[in-house]
């Protein structure tokens, strides 16, 4: 990820710690980043959303260098928890964005293709197939697991994200039982 896009994402997340996503103005982010080609990169707030998601993926890819190879289930757990750790560092900002989705769900729909790319990256790094019918099922399964765990993360007030970890582990167990049932 280019430095100017990292700067834009980090600046946006910093502003969102104190400001509601719906009240955020592009001009405010542009003024604080002082990125010369801002208007070419970020045409509207949807581009800001996609850039934040790419930034989270960028940080996650960096974390993935330290993940040990193990079972697919364990790797998915480790990768998703790494993603939640990144979200945790930007908790107030992510919650601000999430609350805006409740008011304007179309904003999430615009982000969804970019987010599905994130899920595909997660699956590939966990050595989970992403091609063919099985791949589509795997991607949808990881997406469901992630979102159901995300809803717990939003409410998780523990420093260690214990509730999030427990939820993710339970969701992965349910998915594993479902897979074994169909085998």
């Amino acid at each position: 990820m280019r430095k100017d896009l990292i700067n834009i994402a980090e600046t946006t997340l910093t502003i969102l710690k104190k400001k509601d996503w719906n009240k955020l103005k592009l001009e405010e982010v542009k003024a604080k980043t002082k990125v010369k080609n801002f208007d070419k990169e970020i045409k509207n707030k949807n581009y800001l959303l996609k850039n934040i998601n790419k930034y989270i993926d960028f940080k996650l890819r960096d974390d993935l260098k330290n993940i040990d190879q193990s079972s697919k289930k364990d790797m998915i757990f480790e990768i998703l928890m790494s993603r939640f750790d990144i979200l945790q560092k930007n908790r107030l900002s992510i919650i601000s964005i999430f609350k805006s989705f409740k008011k304007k769900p179309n904003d999430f729909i615009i982000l969804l293709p970019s987010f599905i790319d994130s899920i595909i990256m997660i699956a590939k790094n966990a050595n989970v197939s992403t091609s063919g019918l099985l791949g589509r099922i795997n991607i949808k399964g990881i997406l469901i697991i992630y979102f159901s765990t995300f809803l717990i993360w939003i409410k998780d007030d523990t420093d260690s994200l214990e509730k999030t970890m427990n939820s993710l582990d339970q969701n992965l167990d349910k998915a594993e039982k479902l897979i074994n049932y169909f085998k």
Side-chain angles (χ1 to χ4, degrees):
M1 187 169 195
R2 293 191 337 257
K3 287 182 182 182
D4 55 345
L5 293 175
I6 292 170
N7 181 5
I8 292 168
E10 289 175 343
T11 301
T12 305
L13 289 167
T14 299
I15 293 169
L16 288 174
K17 286 180 183 175
K18 297 178 183 173
K19 189 170 214 158
D20 183 82
W21 170 260
N22 292 322
K23 295 179 182 173
L24 179 72
K25 302 286 183 213
L26 279 181
E27 294 76 27
E28 183 178 3
V29 178
K30 182 179 179 179
K32 291 199 179 197
T33 61
K34 298 178 182 171
V35 170
K36 293 177 184 173
N37 60 341
F38 185 93
D39 293 326
K40 289 182 181 178
E41 298 291 343
I42 309 295
K43 296 175 180 21
N44 56 46
K45 285 178 68 173
N46 295 330
Y47 283 80
L48 275 181
L49 275 177
K50 291 175 185 177
N51 190 56
I52 290 168
N53 190 60
K54 288 177 184 175
Y55 172 75
I56 292 168
D57 286 347
F58 170 75
K59 298 295 270 180
L60 181 59
R61 275 189 212 93
D62 201 38
D63 288 354
L64 292 177
K65 295 173 187 171
N66 301 321
I67 289 184
D68 295 327
Q69 295 294 316
S70 59
S71 72
K72 290 176 186 179
K73 177 186 171 191
D74 288 346
M75 289 190 69
I76 292 171
F77 180 88
E78 290 298 322
I79 294 169
L80 290 180
M81 278 313 302
S82 290
R83 186 174 177 90
F84 283 117
D85 287 339
I86 294 164
L87 295 182
Q88 186 69 10
K89 291 174 186 166
N90 300 287
R91 185 174 185 80
L92 296 174
S93 307
I94 300 301
I95 290 173
S96 174
I97 294 168
F98 174 72
K99 286 180 180 177
S100 79
F101 290 158
K102 292 166 110 178
K103 296 174 187 171
K104 295 181 179 180
N106 286 346
D107 286 350
F108 178 72
I109 292 168
I110 290 166
L111 179 63
L112 194 56
S114 177
F115 194 78
I116 289 172
D117 288 342
S118 301
I119 297 297
I120 291 169
M121 184 263 298
I122 289 166
K124 286 181 178 179
N125 280 282
N127 299 319
V128 173
S129 172
T130 60
S131 60
L133 178 60
L134 179 61
R136 289 194 304 234
I137 292 169
N138 289 338
I139 291 165
K140 289 174 184 174
I142 294 171
L143 189 65
I144 291 167
I145 290 167
Y146 179 80
F147 281 133
S148 60
T149 307
F150 180 86
L151 294 173
I152 300 301
W153 173 81
I154 288 287
K155 298 173 189 171
D156 191 346
D157 55 1
T158 63
D159 291 334
S160 62
L161 295 180
E162 183 179 325
K163 294 175 185 175
T164 303
M165 282 192 281
N166 288 336
S167 174
L168 178 56
D169 193 43
Q170 290 171 3
N171 290 331
L172 287 168
D173 284 345
K174 289 175 189 174
E176 188 175 49
K177 286 177 185 173
L178 186 64
I179 290 167
N180 290 335
Y181 176 78
F182 284 109
K183 281 183 179 178

